């Protein structure tokens, strides 16, 4: 390669030279400068890490029967067969969650959730965003909002700040595709990582690509053209990043994997811990199958509850032992709860009026039950909370100002968590 | 109609296919005679049928007029018309689901005739060489709509994806009028799997939607897809935003209560969708009723009543009154059906419909161009529900032909900013996963490869499955991860198809560029740009190519690999513009 060429290729269009080479040069002569850059980060890392907040959302797709898990009604005719057991917190939970019961000194249950969306897609959107679906605005989901707010506190992060394990989550809405969830399966496999060409040749291609893309962006054809450029940049950052090893759950010792459970959700929770340790501000782990219109009790007892019990208890315990729980919020929820009555197929149907979510960590008050439902579970007694209140609570726990205001795609000011108040019992 | 299909062979006779509308109204025994009659009918060549459509010009100018009215009202000047190459790429992507090959592009751009756009649309819609691709494209789109991207892939599903696709392919290849198409989907009975004795692929639309939850999914999907009515929330309560009441939901639901799906006795048996007598929930077959619960706990009774208030007999006996047949009759005669189809079709080509979402029509959701929606709906009905005519009006209209480059007066016309679309420039949109796949087949130069149709489909389904994600609900809600994020960029950087396309092996675009003696130097680079972006390389891009050539020590094959990779990874490639 002659010198003219070198200059041609090393004068990138629209992207910094250091940016590329720090990630792509590998063992070349430029590795030195990349290393220096790395050291600069290392010097600040401790300070940053001290204030580094994260959140893990355990998403229960289908709408979990919270009356059978967190707010049992053993004396009600339709309370179902499960018995409550004592925990090490100041509350009782389902007998089929014995390991979580031993972690309830670190978690709290909000038993007075009351929402109005009992359709899967609407409920899913509402619980993920704090807003009901509207045709004119696409609201950003938890992961997009939180990673958007927290990513400044971790300049060293090379992998995406919002990772969704084993499910699709909800999108970034008006924050743009750069804040979209990065989906991985629970084995942490990311497809198509191996480039199979020389890093220098990739660099050349990527620089030429920037030239083509920028020409198209300058045409003023709409935002999609520029969004693509941003995502290409994020992809390049991710390639060759050592932080990718956070996805490799298999590197954990067998006994750790056993503790979390050798299933998708167990591996997902274990990956969530590794990702938070690496600095990822938001991880969503999905456990589906809660839409139990029929045969609910056997499904819960034999299948869902043992899976949940292992993974969630191990995750809570590990975060606590590693000193991460004080800065990491855990949210357990689905799109709604299930009917306090039992239908003709021994199932429970959709129910949004009175149900529970579980939260913990990041300074939220642990070991308590917030609010209560009526004796048969069909309504909330006293104060009730909504998705907006819950989102405000999580933001507050992560140190995100509730005065934060976004500008939506149609130029309207949108308050974070729709301007709602946090759940006060969790901060007293 | 299947017998008729077999009689002539697939894709053999476009002229016979054109007569689907009439055919469907003929009795089985007179079909053969009918076809013979058509053979001597004056408007039989596709040429004549299209040209004689004297309405075409007036439909197009009415569309232009109505869209122009909105520009005037908002003081917007539209963008310039798109260049030939850009328009050609767009129309191939939207009608056939893939980018044009270089030969196809060159034929269009070098054509000097005035009506060349009309000629191209005519060819893509009616010429035998494109019948199969046209049918495949619309089969894909409708499969995703009717059974979802994952329908038929899950364990325990009674859907046969092959069966659904076979029905759709036949319908589109044969140009079944839309009313007949809807009627067949709504009222289908028979076996779901191809090869079964009473195979009817149309059954796959409802087979997984009738058994659970008292046919809740069948009610919701039929209302939404064919009538533009979103009723799923009214199962449990009156709708907060529109005038749908819970009572109406259950009256609609009552039409599906005679229908059951049965899994086969063994795993080799085909599942069946069948109608049987509905006993009624209180056991009186003569007035077969169902009950639903209001939010206050009171029970109410419901019988089949169409949304416009038309009641049918209450009997649950199938031989006295077949409820789904009645429902199909009322849907196809309603004004709901053409409106939502027009809205869907417009949205397919222009990127946005007249309402958002496109299948939620009604007084609560005002259309951006109410007069145009009405006009197209009426004309669609008058055309005998001829979907290809509807498409040609839209594709040949002025708004569809505009450039995606905005000017100072129409920059704010951006539906992404929450504004209603004014269609004053073409809106950028990402290719669908299916469009990308078919385009990469063109881009790898593998289009002519001789593998069986089944093998092609299997490869495509395998590739597409990587983007499907489900949400773990009983309603089978799903999304696609093909949404312009990192995994997609990685797939374009490194995926198997890209590697194949940039390998430079025999038959690839690179190989074609190098083995054609007329494509020397710059022209080889232009060939690649035409293949991927439907345009020539700019001067800067030619310089870039030179730089690659030097960097690869003068080896053109290696340099073209780099350029081809860059082209295929660009925003300009993956966006429809």
């Amino acid at each position: 390669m002659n010198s003219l060429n070198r200059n041609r290729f090393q004068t990138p269009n629209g992207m910094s030279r250091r940016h590329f080479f720090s990630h792509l040069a590998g063992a070349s002569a430029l590795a030195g400068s990349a290393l220096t850059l790395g050291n600069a980060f290392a010097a600040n890392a401790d300070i940053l890490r001290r204030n580094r907040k994260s959140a893990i959302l355990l998403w229960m797709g289908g709408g979990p029967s919270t009356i059978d898990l967190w707010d049992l009604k053993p004396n009600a005719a339709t309370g179902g067969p499960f018995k409550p057991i004592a925990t090490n917190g100041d509350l009782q939970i389902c007998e089929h969650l014995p390991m979580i019961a031993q972690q309830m000194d670190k978690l709290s249950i909000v038993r007075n959730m009351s929402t109005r969306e009992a359709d899967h897609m609407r409920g899913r959107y509402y619980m993920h965003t704090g807003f009901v679906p509207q045709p004119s605005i696409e609201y950003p989901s938890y992961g997009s909002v939180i990673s958007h707010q927290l990513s400044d506190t971790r300049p060293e992060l090379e992998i995406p700040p919002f990772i969704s394990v084993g499910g699709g989550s909800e999108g970034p809405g008006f924050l743009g595709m750069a804040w979209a969830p990065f989906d991985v399966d629970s084995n942490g496999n990311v497809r198509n990582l191996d480039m199979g060409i020389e890093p220098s040749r990739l660099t050349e291609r990527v620089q030429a690509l920037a030239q083509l893309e920028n020409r198209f962006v300058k045409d003023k054809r709409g935002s999609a053209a520029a969004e693509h450029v941003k995502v290409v940049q994020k992809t390049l950052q991710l390639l060759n990043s050592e932080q990718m090893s956070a996805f490799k759950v298999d590197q954990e010792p067998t006994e750790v994997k056993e503790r979390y459970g050798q299933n998708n959700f167990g591996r997902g929770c274990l990956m969530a811990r590794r990702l938070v340790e690496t600095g990822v501000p938001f991880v969503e782990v999905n456990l589906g199958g809660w839409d139990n219109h029929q045969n609910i009790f056997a499904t819960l007892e034999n299948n869902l509850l043992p899976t949940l019990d292992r993974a969630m208890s191990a995750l809570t315990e590990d975060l606590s032992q590693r000193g991460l729980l004080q800065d990491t919020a855990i949210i357990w929820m689905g799109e709604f709860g299930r009917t306090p009555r039992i239908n003709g197929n021994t199932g429970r149907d959709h129910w949004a009026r009175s149900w529970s979510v579980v939260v913990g960590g990041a300074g939220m008050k642990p070991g308590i039950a917030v609010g209560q439902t009526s004796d048969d579970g069909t309504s909330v007694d006293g104060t009730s909370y909504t998705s907006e209140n819950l989102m405000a609570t999580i933001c507050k726990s992560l140190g995100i100002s509730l005065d934060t205001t976004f500008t939506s795609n149609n130029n309207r000011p949108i308050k974070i968590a729709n301007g709602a108040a946090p759940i006060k019992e969790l901060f007293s | 109609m299947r017998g008729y299909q077999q009689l002539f062979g697939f894709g053999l006779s476009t002229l016979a296919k054109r007569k689907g509308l009439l055919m469907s109204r003929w009795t089985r025994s007179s079909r053969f005679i009918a076809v013979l009659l058509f053979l001597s009918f004056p408007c039989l060549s596709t040429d004549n049928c299209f040209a004689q459509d004297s309405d075409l010009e007036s439909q197009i100018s009415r569309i232009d007029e109505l869209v122009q009215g909105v520009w005037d009202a908002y003081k917007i000047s539209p963008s310039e018309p798109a260049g030939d190459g850009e328009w050609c790429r767009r129309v191939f992507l939207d009608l056939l689901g893939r980018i044009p090959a270089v030969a196809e592009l060159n034929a269009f751009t070098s054509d000097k005739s005035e009506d060349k756009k009309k000629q191209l649309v005519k060819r893509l819609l009616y010429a035998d060489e494109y019948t199969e691709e046209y049918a495949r494209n619309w089969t894909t789109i409708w499969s995703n709509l009717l059974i979802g991207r994952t329908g038929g892939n899950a364990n325990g599903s009674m859907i046969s994806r092959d069966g659904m696709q076979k029905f759709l392919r036949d319908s589109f290849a044969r140009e079944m009028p839309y009313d007949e198409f809807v009627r067949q989907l709504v009222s289908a009975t028979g076996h779901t799997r191809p090869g079964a004795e009473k195979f009817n692929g149309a059954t796959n639309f409802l087979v997984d939607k009738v058994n659970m939850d008292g046919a809740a999914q069948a009610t919701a999907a039929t209302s939404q897809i064919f009538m533009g009515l979103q009723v799923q929330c009214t199962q449990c309560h009156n709708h907060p935003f529109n005038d749908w009441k819970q009572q109406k939901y259950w009256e609609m639901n009552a039409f599906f209560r005679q229908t059951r799906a049965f899994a086969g006795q063994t795993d080799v048996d085909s599942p069946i969708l069948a109608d049987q007598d509905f006993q009624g929930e209180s056991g009186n077959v003569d007035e077969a009723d169902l009950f639903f619960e209001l939010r206050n706990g009171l029970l109410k009774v419901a019988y089949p009543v169409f949304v416009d208030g038309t009641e049918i007999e209450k009997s649950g006996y199938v031989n006295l009154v077949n409820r789904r047949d009645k429902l199909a009759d009322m849907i196809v005669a309603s004004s709901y059906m053409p409106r939502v189809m027009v809205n869907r079709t417009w949205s397919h080509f222009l990127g946005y419909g007249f309402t958002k979402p496109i299948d939620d029509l009604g007084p609560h959701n005002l259309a951006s161009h109410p007069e145009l929606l009405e006009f197209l709906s009426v004309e669609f009905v008058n055309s005998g529900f001829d979907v290809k005519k509807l498409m040609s009006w839209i594709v040949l209209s002025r708004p569809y032909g505009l450039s995606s480059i905005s000017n100072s007066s129409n920059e704010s016309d951006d539906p992404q900013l929450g504004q209603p679309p004014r269609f004053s420039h073409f809106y950028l949109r990402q290719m669908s996963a299916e469009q990308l796949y078919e385009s990469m087949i063109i881009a790898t130069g593998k289009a002519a490869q001789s593998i069986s149709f089944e093998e092609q489909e299997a490869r495509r389904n395998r590739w597409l499955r990587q983007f499907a994600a489900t949400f773990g609900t009983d309603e089978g809600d799903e999304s696609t991860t093909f949404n312009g994020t990192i995994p997609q960029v990685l797939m374009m950087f490194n995926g198997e198809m890209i590697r194949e396309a940039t390998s430079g092996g025999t038959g690839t675009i690179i190989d074609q560029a190098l083995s054609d003696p007329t494509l020397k130097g710059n022209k080889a680079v232009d060939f690649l740009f035409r293949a991927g972006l439907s345009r020539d390389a700019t001067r800067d891009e030619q310089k870039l190519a030179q730089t690659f050539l030097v960097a690869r020590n003068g080896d053109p094959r290696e340099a073209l690999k780099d350029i081809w990779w860059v082209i295929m990874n660009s925003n300009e490639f993956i966006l429809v513009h």
Side-chain angles (χ1 to χ4, degrees):
Chain A
M1 194 186 281
N2 68 28
S3 63
L4 182 118
N5 258 327
R6 288 183 70 92
N7 289 336
R8 183 75 182 89
F9 278 123
Q10 287 168 18
T11 313
N13 292 280
M15 295 185 217
S16 79
R17 169 173 166 272
R18 171 171 288 178
H19 174 88
F20 282 110
F21 282 97
S22 63
H23 300 300
L24 299 175
S28 82
L30 281 144
S33 69
L35 209 65
T36 318
L37 202 63
N39 287 343
F41 284 137
N44 289 320
D46 282 345
I47 301 164
L48 285 169
R49 199 160 288 136
R50 226 173 287 149
N51 301 312
R52 212 165 67 175
K53 306 286 184 191
S54 303
I56 298 172
L57 169 58
L58 306 178
W59 179 259
M60 304 295 120
S65 182
T66 57
I67 191 174
D68 294 311
L69 274 71
W70 312 115
D71 189 12
L72 277 73
K73 302 291 176 187
N75 300 320
T78 57
F82 298 164
K83 303 276 175 293
I85 53 168
T87 69
N88 62 356
D90 189 18
L91 72 176
Q92 294 184 317
I93 63 170
C94 172
E95 59 183 325
H96 301 300
L97 297 171
M99 289 189 272
I100 294 178
Q102 293 313 303
Q103 303 298 327
M104 283 312 293
D105 58 338
K106 308 175 189 75
L107 303 167
S108 287
I109 300 174
V110 181
R111 284 180 174 157
N112 52 349
M113 290 298 289
S114 183
T115 56
R116 292 172 53 93
E117 299 299 340
D119 166 78
H120 287 294
M121 297 310 274
R122 291 181 65 89
R124 198 186 147 73
Y125 183 89
Y126 172 62
M127 291 309 297
H128 268 91
T129 63
F131 290 87
V132 293
Q134 261 177 42
S136 60
I137 303 184
E138 281 177 36
Y139 294 98
S141 67
Y142 260 95
S144 305
V145 168
I146 288 171
S147 57
H148 180 265
Q149 291 296 303
L150 296 182
S151 64
D152 282 353
T153 62
R154 52 206 87 201
E156 77 287 8
L157 190 68
E158 293 163 344
I159 57 178
F162 172 13
I163 288 162
S164 175
V165 189
S169 188
E170 284 286 323
F174 56 71
L175 291 178
M177 287 319 288
W179 303 100
F182 181 68
D183 296 320
V184 291
D185 67 25
S186 67
N187 293 315
N189 293 326
V190 180
R191 285 162 183 268
N192 303 319
L193 270 183
D194 174 26
M195 280 303 297
I197 56 170
E198 289 288 303
S200 64
R201 190 165 179 183
L202 175 62
T203 310
E204 292 164 4
R205 286 182 177 184
V206 163
Q207 286 168 9
L209 175 61
Q211 182 175 329
L212 254 73
E213 295 219 293
N214 287 336
R215 175 185 178 274
F216 196 68
V217 170
K218 281 189 194 122
D219 277 346
K220 292 209 295 188
R221 293 173 193 258
S223 56
E227 286 288 319
H228 188 263
V229 175
K230 277 192 221 167
V231 178
V232 166
Q233 283 174 356
K234 292 214 168 205
T235 307
L236 288 167
Q237 217 174 47
L238 176 127
L239 277 169
N240 289 5
S241 169
E242 284 179 12
Q243 293 171 356
M244 289 302 284
S245 66
F247 290 106
K248 299 194 172 123
V249 198
D250 250 9
Q251 293 174 348
E252 292 282 334
T254 310
E255 55 272 25
V256 175
K257 286 186 273 191
E258 284 293 332
R259 265 182 61 236
Y260 278 79
Q262 298 267 28
N263 52 57
N264 287 335
F265 185 65
R267 278 189 296 273
C269 284
L270 181 51
M271 195 190 305
R273 192 207 77 203
R274 292 171 62 94
L275 289 166
V276 164
E277 285 173 319
T278 306
V280 174
F282 196 93
V283 186
E284 180 165 338
V285 189
N286 288 266
L287 176 58
W290 296 92
D291 198 12
N292 311 121
H293 289 284
Q294 43 222 340
N295 197 24
I296 186 167
F297 302 109
T299 310
L300 290 178
E301 181 177 347
N302 302 329
N303 182 2
L304 289 164
L305 298 189
T307 302
L308 176 68
D309 194 33
R310 276 189 171 276
M312 188 170 171
S313 61
L315 175 65
T316 310
E317 187 179 15
D318 274 9
L319 289 174
S320 170
Q321 273 181 5
R322 290 163 191 242
L324 292 164
L325 192 61
Q326 56 188 0
D327 292 313
T328 306
I330 297 175
I331 314 134
W332 177 100
M333 66 174 172
E335 51 264 52
F336 36 67
R338 304 200 79 81
T339 41
R341 63 172 180 277
I342 299 164
N343 69 23
N345 300 320
T346 329
R348 294 186 191 270
D349 304 319
H350 305 179
W351 187 258
R353 199 188 298 168
S354 48
W355 58 291
S356 307
V357 300
V358 182
V359 294
M364 290 180 280
K365 189 171 179 185
I368 61 166
V370 174
Q372 58 183 8
T373 49
S374 58
D375 289 343
D376 60 0
T378 55
S379 62
V380 170
D381 282 349
T383 312
S384 63
Y385 290 118
T386 62
S387 169
E388 295 90 311
N389 297 127
L390 180 64
M391 199 171 198
T393 305
I394 299 303
C395 288
K396 182 179 161 77
S397 77
L398 299 173
I400 298 170
S401 165
L402 296 178
D403 293 327
T404 305
T405 303
F406 302 105
T407 304
S408 75
N409 42 341
N410 55 359
N411 276 319
R412 275 196 250 160
I414 305 290
K415 277 203 143 189
I416 200 165
N418 205 0
I423 298 168
K424 59 179 185 301
E425 292 91 333
L426 291 169
F427 296 102
S428 55
Chain B
M1 291 309 275
R2 271 188 351 108
Y4 161 71
Q5 190 69 45
Q6 284 154 4
L7 196 61
F8 284 91
F10 187 84
L12 180 136
S13 167
T14 315
L15 53 95
K17 279 178 280 173
R18 292 271 301 140
K19 296 300 154 199
L21 168 65
L22 289 163
M23 282 305 298
S24 67
R25 294 179 184 163
W26 284 65
T27 62
R28 189 175 288 272
S29 57
S30 59
R31 264 179 209 154
F32 191 65
I33 303 165
V35 171
L36 291 179
L37 282 174
F38 288 138
L39 288 172
S40 56
F41 210 68
C43 174
L44 271 184
S45 89
T46 61
D47 247 42
N48 286 340
C49 282
F50 201 79
Q52 279 179 6
D53 188 352
S54 55
D55 291 342
L56 181 65
E57 292 301 332
S58 73
Q59 315 289 24
I60 294 170
S61 56
R62 184 70 183 142
I63 293 174
D64 293 352
E65 203 179 307
L66 289 168
V67 174
Q68 173 86 47
V70 174
W71 297 337
D72 293 346
Y74 289 90
K75 298 192 170 55
I76 295 173
S77 328
S79 294
E80 297 294 309
D84 273 357
E86 199 162 83
W87 189 85
C88 179
R89 186 181 201 263
R90 189 182 292 176
V91 98
F92 267 83
L93 275 166
D94 287 341
L95 284 176
L96 302 188
R98 63 162 174 89
I99 55 176
V102 178
E104 292 167 326
L105 177 78
N106 288 348
F108 178 72
T109 52
S110 64
D111 187 346
K112 296 281 178 274
S113 56
E114 280 239 321
D115 65 343
K116 68 176 185 176
K117 286 189 175 176
K118 208 198 274 184
Q119 293 303 328
L120 178 61
V121 171
K122 185 176 73 176
R123 236 184 355 268
L124 297 186
L125 285 176
Y126 299 105
D128 282 350
E129 59 184 304
Y130 291 118
T131 304
E132 204 177 308
E133 281 192 276
Y134 169 86
R136 175 161 59 192
N137 182 36
W138 292 93
T139 294
T140 301
I141 291 164
W142 277 90
S143 301
N144 290 344
L145 186 62
L146 296 171
I147 57 172
R149 282 194 158 83
T150 51
N153 292 342
N155 284 341
S157 168
M158 285 189 266
I159 292 174
S160 158
R161 207 170 179 86
D162 286 348
M164 182 86 262
Q165 294 188 333
K166 183 157 174 34
F167 166 79
L168 292 170
R169 226 163 27 239
D170 290 355
S171 317
F172 292 118
R174 230 185 48 220
E175 301 180 356
M176 185 188 285
Y178 186 66
D179 58 340
E180 180 59 21
F181 176 79
V182 173
R183 188 192 305 276
Q184 294 206 15
L185 285 164
V186 172
S187 63
T189 57
H191 287 66
T192 63
R193 285 191 205 156
E197 196 191 342
K198 289 176 182 159
F199 167 66
N200 175 0
T203 53
N204 286 292
F205 167 51
L206 289 176
V207 73
D208 266 5
K209 301 185 178 79
V210 291
N211 284 0
M212 295 276 294
D213 248 353
Q217 285 191 60
T219 313
T222 305
S223 308
Q224 186 171 342
I225 296 172
F226 300 123
M227 295 194 286
L229 297 168
Q230 305 236 354
V231 303
Q232 57 273 29
C233 303
T234 49
Q235 183 181 356
C236 311
H237 55 81
N238 292 341
H239 202 288
F241 309 125
N242 66 31
D243 57 1
W244 261 78
K245 298 282 180 269
Q246 205 180 348
Q247 178 82 29
K248 273 195 179 175
Y249 171 89
W250 291 103
E251 288 170 348
M252 186 71 185
N253 175 265
F255 284 101
F256 295 94
R257 291 303 182 98
Q258 289 172 328
T259 309
R260 298 292 293 174
F262 301 94
Q265 295 294 312
T266 69
D267 61 346
V268 292
D269 291 349
S270 168
I272 303 167
L273 187 68
D275 292 320
Q276 56 187 28
D277 296 340
F278 174 48
Q279 304 299 320
E281 290 183 356
S282 47
N284 178 4
V285 196
D286 292 324
E287 289 198 9
D289 50 10
L290 63 86
F291 292 94
F292 65 96
E293 195 180 322
L294 297 175
R295 289 209 88 172
N296 61 16
L298 288 177
L299 282 184
K300 285 197 74 178
V301 67
Y303 300 98
V305 182
F306 193 58
V307 284
D308 62 5
T310 309
E311 295 180 27
I312 64 164
E313 290 161 73
K314 293 171 181 168
S315 169
Y317 288 115
V318 175
N319 59 3
L320 287 181
V321 48
N322 182 314
R323 291 188 174 186
R324 273 198 299 146
D325 281 355
K326 295 278 184 200
L327 176 64
D329 287 345
M330 289 190 280
I331 290 177
V332 301
S334 74
S335 65
Y336 298 103
M337 187 188 81
R339 279 166 63 84
V340 69
M341 181 55 178
V342 161
N343 206 27
R344 186 184 302 290
T345 309
W346 183 272
S347 159
H348 171 83
F349 290 102
L350 276 300
Y352 289 87
F354 302 116
T355 62
K356 189 183 173 191
I358 55 168
D359 48 14
D360 186 8
L361 295 168
H364 65 286
N365 197 7
L366 290 181
S368 60
H369 296 66
E371 237 182 306
L372 180 52
L373 175 57
E374 186 58 30
F375 167 74
L376 287 172
S377 304
V378 169
E379 292 306 311
F380 179 50
V381 177
N382 290 343
S383 75
F385 299 97
D386 186 328
V387 179
K388 285 189 175 176
K389 278 192 183 162
L390 176 63
M391 289 178 185
S392 41
W393 305 334
I394 297 174
V395 167
L396 291 167
S397 73
R398 186 172 171 204
Y400 182 77
L402 295 175
S403 166
S404 54
I405 300 177
S406 52
N407 58 41
S408 54
S409 98
N410 71 1
E411 223 176 337
S412 60
D413 174 17
D414 183 355
Q416 275 197 317
L417 304 178
Q419 317 271 8
R422 315 283 185 218
F423 307 110
S424 70
H425 58 93
F426 194 82
Y427 305 124
L428 281 192
R429 56 178 187 262
Q430 205 192 222
M431 281 188 201
S432 67
E434 291 85 357
Q435 283 176 323
L436 178 64
Y437 180 83
E438 298 297 345
S439 297
M440 292 214 293
I441 293 286
I442 296 290
T444 47
K446 295 282 173 172
Q449 204 185 47
S450 57
I451 54 170
S452 73
F453 183 78
E454 284 73 24
E455 177 59 20
Q456 285 177 38
E457 288 295 295
R459 281 190 191 181
R460 195 169 73 121
N461 286 340
R462 259 200 313 277
W463 188 85
L464 290 170
R465 213 171 293 172
Q466 66 182 309
F467 301 113
T470 53
F471 288 147
T473 67
D474 273 4
E475 290 170 22
D477 300 314
E478 58 181 25
S479 76
T480 170
T481 60
F482 185 81
N483 52 11
T485 54
I486 294 170
Q488 185 192 310
V489 171
L490 279 171
M491 186 269 295
M492 293 304 288
F493 270 23
N494 281 325
E496 194 187 334
M497 290 187 84
I498 290 288
R499 286 184 184 216
E500 214 174 309
T502 55
S503 68
T506 316
T508 62
I509 292 289
I510 295 169
D511 190 51
Q512 291 174 30
L514 289 169
S515 53
D516 185 335
T518 65
L519 299 175
K520 289 271 174 275
N522 285 2
K523 283 197 173 157
V525 176
D526 281 340
F527 183 80
L528 260 55
F529 273 80
R530 284 188 194 191
L533 307 177
S534 300
R535 65 170 175 88
D536 286 339
T538 64
R539 205 142 38 104
D540 284 348
E541 286 158 352
Q542 288 287 3
K543 273 194 232 160
L544 207 57
Q546 279 307 312
T547 322
F548 273 120
L549 188 61
V550 179
R552 302 284 88 85
N553 302 317
D555 181 341
R557 189 172 294 265
E558 289 302 308
L560 290 184
K561 286 183 187 179
D562 293 321
I563 296 161
W564 192 224
W565 186 94
V566 169
I567 289 171
M568 293 188 71
N569 271 286
S570 67
N571 43 14
E572 194 175 347
F573 179 80
I574 200 140
L575 294 169
V576 184
H577 51 82

